[in-house]
């Protein structure tokens, strides 16, 4: 052990437990969705979980003496972000998990960066397309085809469920670059923006859910298992996870903290297999590895070269669009 290595190991011990806890919390979200849809319509589940998350972050705001945004322009942009970043994708994951395993939904969540990049380049023009990113996207989408098992033919409820989960990831692909362009540059804290985003999403769902799925059941009519899952999705997966993520960023830097997204599908698969006895066919984990490899290449984690489009994050690290926006506005993972 050298003098230089000792502080690094101490620093690792300071943030690694929180890093692993965050991956486990976000990875378990797909298990809780699976349990929740056993008694709740996907729209009702999303309404309850988002409402619980909003209440949790409002409490944190009060404790930290932070405040919600006051500018109408910010709230107008958050209306778009809340729809595409929270209400629609959370609901699509619920619909998807009515047809596919929770661990497979966790794998599809990992495709988000692959969808963010082309939209950021072609639609929002917040990023440049480089050769490295093009190679990463190509690899990633090849992995998507492997996960889908397209050589087996398409169709059926299982295939439809996978497309719904992919659609949820595509919604994040719209929300993240939109948020980077119109919201992330504001002077408000990530906690403030995230709480406002969940409040708007709760209002949207409170209007849409009764029209589509009828009046939501009262919490007292739910089983203890489902009620606990809803609270875990909202209070734990959004509230506590947000606080842990901010701590990880402060201790390890934004770039290191953002790599938790690579562990989320791993935990989702492990938890689904252990808690629900779910199983994957061979091509799904193989495709997932190809997807993660493609994401790593596109984000410069393999063969990294600083790109002009990247921006400096905390601790002098460099971060991509996905990393920066999730750091600044607490974008939920699932």
């Amino acid at each position: 052990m050298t003098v230089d290595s000792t502080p690094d190991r101490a620093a690792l011990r300071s943030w690694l437990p929180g890093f692993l806890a965050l991956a486990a919390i976000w990875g378990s979200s797909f298990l809780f969705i699976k349990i929740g849809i056993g008694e709740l319509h996907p729209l009702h589940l999303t309404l309850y979980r988002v409402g619980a998350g909003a209440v949790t972050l409002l409490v944190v705001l009060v404790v930290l003496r932070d405040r919600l945004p006051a500018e109408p322009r910010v709230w107008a942009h958050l209306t778009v972000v809340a729809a595409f970043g929270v209400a629609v994708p959370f609901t699509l994951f619920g619909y998807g998990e009515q047809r596919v395993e929770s661990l497979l939904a966790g794998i599809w969540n990992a495709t988000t960066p692959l969808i963010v990049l082309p939209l950021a380049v072609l639609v929002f023009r917040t990023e440049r397309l480089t050769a490295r990113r093009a190679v990463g996207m190509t690899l990633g989408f090849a992995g998507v085809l492997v996960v889908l098992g397209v050589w087996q033919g398409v169709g059926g409820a299982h295939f439809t469920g996978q497309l719904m989960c992919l659609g949820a990831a595509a919604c994040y692909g719209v929300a993240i670059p939109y948020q980077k362009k119109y919201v992330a540059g504001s002077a408000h804290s990530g906690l403030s923006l995230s709480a406002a985003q969940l409040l708007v999403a709760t209002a949207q769902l409170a209007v849409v859910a009764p029209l589509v799925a009828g009046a939501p059941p009262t919490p007292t009519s739910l089983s203890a298992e489902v009620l606990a899952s809803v609270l875990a999705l909202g209070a734990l997966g959004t509230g506590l996870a947000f606080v842990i993520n901010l701590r990880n960023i402060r201790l390890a830097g934004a770039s290191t903290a953002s790599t938790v997204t690579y562990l989320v599908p791993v935990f989702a698969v492990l938890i689904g297999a252990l808690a629900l006895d779910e199983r994957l066919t061979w091509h799904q984990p193989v495709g997932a590895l190809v997807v993660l490899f493609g994401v790593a290449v596109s984000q410069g984690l393999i063969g990294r070269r600083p790109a002009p489009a990247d921006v400096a994050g905390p601790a002098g690290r460099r971060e991509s669009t996905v990393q920066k926006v999730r750091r600044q506005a607490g974008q939920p993972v699932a």
Side-chain angles (χ1 to χ4, degrees), residues 43 46 50 74-93 167-176 178-179 183 193-194 196-206 208 331-332:
L43 273 166
T46 304
V50 173
V74 173
W75 285 95
H77 288 308
L78 285 176
T79 300
V80 178
V81 176
F84 287 97
V86 179
V88 177
F90 283 12
T91 303
L92 281 175
F93 272 122
C171 287
Y172 293 143
V174 173
I176 290 174
Y178 184 95
Q179 197 164 317
V183 179
L193 293 171
S194 212
Q197 179 180 331
L198 290 180
L199 279 174
V200 174
T202 301
Q204 292 170 338
L205 290 160
V208 174
Q331 182 72 40

Side-chain angles (χ1 to χ4, degrees), residues 19-37:
F19 181 88
L20 295 175
L22 188 62
I25 290 172
W26 279 341
S28 65
S29 294
F30 303 97
L31 166 67
F32 296 135
I33 292 172
K34 195 72 169 180
I35 295 173
I37 58 175

Side-chain angles (χ1 to χ4, degrees), residues 281-316:
T281 56
W282 69 267
H283 61 87
Q284 291 163 346
V286 170
L289 291 175
V290 177
V291 167
L292 292 177
F293 182 73
V295 170
V297 171
S298 69
Q299 293 189 342
L301 298 179
I302 296 178
R304 170 177 295 189
R305 291 184 179 179
D310 289 343
V311 294

Side-chain angles (χ1 to χ4, degrees), residues 25-46 49 86 89-103 105-106 109 165 168 172 225-226 228-234 271 276 278 333-334:
I25 290 172
W26 279 341
S28 65
S29 294
F30 303 97
L31 166 67
F32 296 135
I33 292 172
K34 195 72 169 180
I35 295 173
I37 58 175
E39 297 180 18
L40 287 168
H41 188 281
L43 273 166
H44 292 156
L45 174 62
T46 304
R49 69 175 285 194
V86 179
F90 283 12
T91 303
L92 281 175
F93 272 122
Y95 277 115
E97 288 198 43
Q98 288 181 327
R99 298 161 175 81
V100 302
E101 299 81 1
S102 68
L103 47 76
N109 186 73
C165 293
Y172 293 143
E225 184 181 45
V226 169
S229 295
V230 171
L231 293 176
L233 282 168
I271 293 170
L276 299 175
E278 295 177 337
V333 168

